[in-house]
Amino acid sequence: MNLKTLALTIAVLTSGCLHKYMYAQTGMTWFDPTTTVDKSNEGMKGIDCETLKDGYQSDLGLLVTEFVARPFFTYTHPQIRKYLNGQPLMECSAKVQRVNENHFVIIEFKINSTRAKTNYGNLEKDVKIKVNLMNNEHLYLKSIERDRGKVRKNLQRTTYVGTYAISSADIDLLKKHSIDKVTVLWEEGVEEYEIVNVDLIKNQLGCLN
């Protein structure tokens, strides 16, 4: 792995910039990533399918269905986990959006540091993420735009948003199977993330009319 996550976090820890409470998305109930309970969350389908937009958007001239973002995973590099007292370095939420007949997965990465742009770089346009499914199949979703990251110094946080197009064939797979892992190619390297809310994308795609 090429990312300088270890150096990033040690620098944050020693500089005193790390939040006492690292959960940036305080409005969301996060799953416990250490749980030994079965990762399936079929009972969450109703919650996962709450809509933010659903219908014709006159300002855009488009039909848009967009679900409310829900917790997707948290991540901390294993080498630095012991320094963070069980709190995550990265928190991620995701949602499905349909614009006319086009489908997208929107993933928001919240990194609890203002130095993340130096260590992660950009999320580049036309770069694919690898999605590993629970049935041992995998697929690739391509980003449609570049994101350089947005720093919020008052929150000691850097936020990236990745928007990934879903093909018709991939929609069928994602409707049937839960997601196990996602691998993201950052400008500075690659990280693989184990998904906690494994049925989120499947549930939201299944709720589309």
Side-chain angles (χ1 to χ4, degrees), residues 141-192:
L141 303 179
K142 183 186 290 188
S143 63
I144 65 168
E145 57 190 9
R146 186 187 205 191
D147 194 295
R148 295 182 172 89
K150 184 178 295 184
V151 178
R152 298 186 65 181
K153 291 185 178 180
N154 61 320
L155 298 175
Q156 296 295 320
R157 179 198 305 166
T158 305
T159 301
Y160 294 87
V161 178
T163 303
Y164 303 95
I166 316 174
S167 70
S168 298
D170 290 339
I171 287 173
D172 291 338
L173 276 175
L174 289 169
K175 278 185 175 180
K176 294 176 183 177
H177 304 290
S178 304
I179 298 175
D180 184 26
K181 296 177 181 179
V182 171
T183 304
V184 177
L185 176 61
W186 297 86
E187 184 181 18
E188 296 296 330
V190 177
E191 279 186 339
E192 182 182 72

Side-chain angles (χ1 to χ4, degrees), residues 66-130:
E66 181 177 329
F67 294 101
V68 173
R70 295 279 299 147
F72 200 34
F73 66 85
T74 61
Y75 176 80
T76 302
H77 191 278
Q79 293 182 21
I80 61 173
R81 192 170 292 147
K82 62 182 179 181
Y83 299 108
L84 301 181
N85 298 318
Q87 305 293 345
L89 177 64
M90 178 186 292
E91 304 165 65
C92 184
S93 59
K95 61 184 175 182
V96 168
Q97 180 189 68
R98 180 175 64 189
V99 181
N100 288 343
E101 299 302 317
N102 302 302
H103 295 73
F104 307 93
V105 172
I106 300 173
I107 304 177
E108 183 176 61
F109 303 86
K110 291 188 177 181
I111 302 170
N112 293 301
S113 169
T114 57
R115 305 184 184 188
K117 291 178 71 171
T118 301
N119 295 275
Y120 280 83
N122 301 324
L123 283 174
E124 298 290 354
K125 182 180 179 180
D126 295 328
V127 172
K128 295 179 180 179
I129 60 171
K130 182 180 180 181

Side-chain angles (χ1 to χ4, degrees), residues 48-60:
D48 287 343
C49 290
E50 181 183 355
T51 55
L52 188 65
K53 299 176 183 178
D54 190 14
Y56 182 76
Q57 305 298 307
S58 58
D59 56 330
L60 302 174

